[in-house]
Amino acid sequence: MNVEELTYQPVGMSRILLDSDHILATPAGSDQAGSGVSRRPVAWPAGFRAVRHRVAVGHGEDIFQRLGSAILGWGIQRGAGLSVSASAPVTVGADVVTGFGWGSFRLPAPCRVVWAESGPRLIGFGYGTLPGHPASGEEAFAAQLDDDGAVHCVILAYSVPSPGLYTLGAPVARAVQSLVTKRYLRAAERLAA
């Protein structure tokens, strides 16, 4: 996978954050929902805005597989009302352009999948921003199956506004990111049902 085109560093950090015992270390001032104490805290990238949500969506292997399949099929993005144009299914190196907006007015957000996993306790992927995206950073979407059978959807991201006009519109970009994240979580709940 060519990481030179990505607009940020460190690439793949969202997967490392997910590895912190399924309960993520969360920096002060981050946008978060859920609870937990990390047994192995991982530092979020310095200078980036952190977003972390972990919500229960059901219980059992069937729910876990249903949500995981939807995540790997771009279902979270489509369920949140984004348009999705992907060069391939969710696989490392695949490019995708999501679009946020109304009707035919869509702001394109090009990304590249930087990690993908389909394991017995975690199904998900992370993608990083490409030139033309309004932000610079990485976002991850995962289904997690806990030891007690509880299934959680985890959305996490770290980003900064892209240079230029997007930097001036940072407060609007944060509001849009919060809105889209809420839509992702509602989509996950519907997809897991």
Side-chain angles (χ1 to χ4, degrees):
M1 177 188 61
N2 181 2
V3 297
E4 293 171 7
E5 295 177 45
L6 296 168
T7 62
Y8 68 99
Q9 292 290 326
V11 172
M13 186 68 184
S14 64
R15 182 63 187 92
I16 294 167
L17 290 164
L18 281 170
D19 264 343
S20 59
D21 286 328
H22 298 293
I23 301 171
L24 307 176
T26 306
S30 73
D31 180 9
Q32 71 171 12
S35 62
V37 177
S38 177
R39 287 175 249 150
R40 198 175 54 172
V42 176
W44 288 70
F48 287 84
R49 179 175 183 263
V51 174
R52 180 252 184 210
H53 292 269
R54 183 177 190 263
V55 296
V57 295
H59 197 272
E61 182 72 24
D62 289 344
I63 300 274
F64 171 67
Q65 291 295 329
R66 188 176 311 130
L67 179 58
S69 178
I71 288 171
L72 295 180
W74 307 110
I76 295 285
Q77 289 78 8
R78 288 187 177 102
L82 302 180
S83 61
V84 176
S85 176
S87 65
V90 172
T91 53
V92 174
D95 289 344
V96 61
V97 179
T98 60
F100 175 79
W102 294 269
S104 61
F105 175 74
R106 298 276 170 169
L107 181 63
C111 295
R112 178 166 295 143
V113 176
V114 297
W115 68 267
E117 183 173 330
S118 185
R121 298 282 187 202
L122 181 105
I123 301 172
F125 74 95
Y127 54 33
T129 57
L130 291 168
H133 195 291
S136 182
E138 194 168 300
E139 192 164 29
F141 307 86
Q144 290 181 331
L145 179 62
D146 292 345
D147 291 339
D148 65 359
V151 178
H152 291 86
C153 177
V154 178
I155 310 285
L156 63 84
Y158 55 92
S159 64
V160 294
S162 289
L165 183 59
Y166 295 117
T167 301
L168 297 174
V172 173
R174 283 192 295 275
V176 169
Q177 184 179 39
S178 292
L179 172 67
V180 172
T181 300
K182 288 176 187 172
R183 288 182 176 185
Y184 287 151
L185 295 169
R186 284 195 301 270
E189 290 170 341
R190 286 190 310 272
L191 293 164

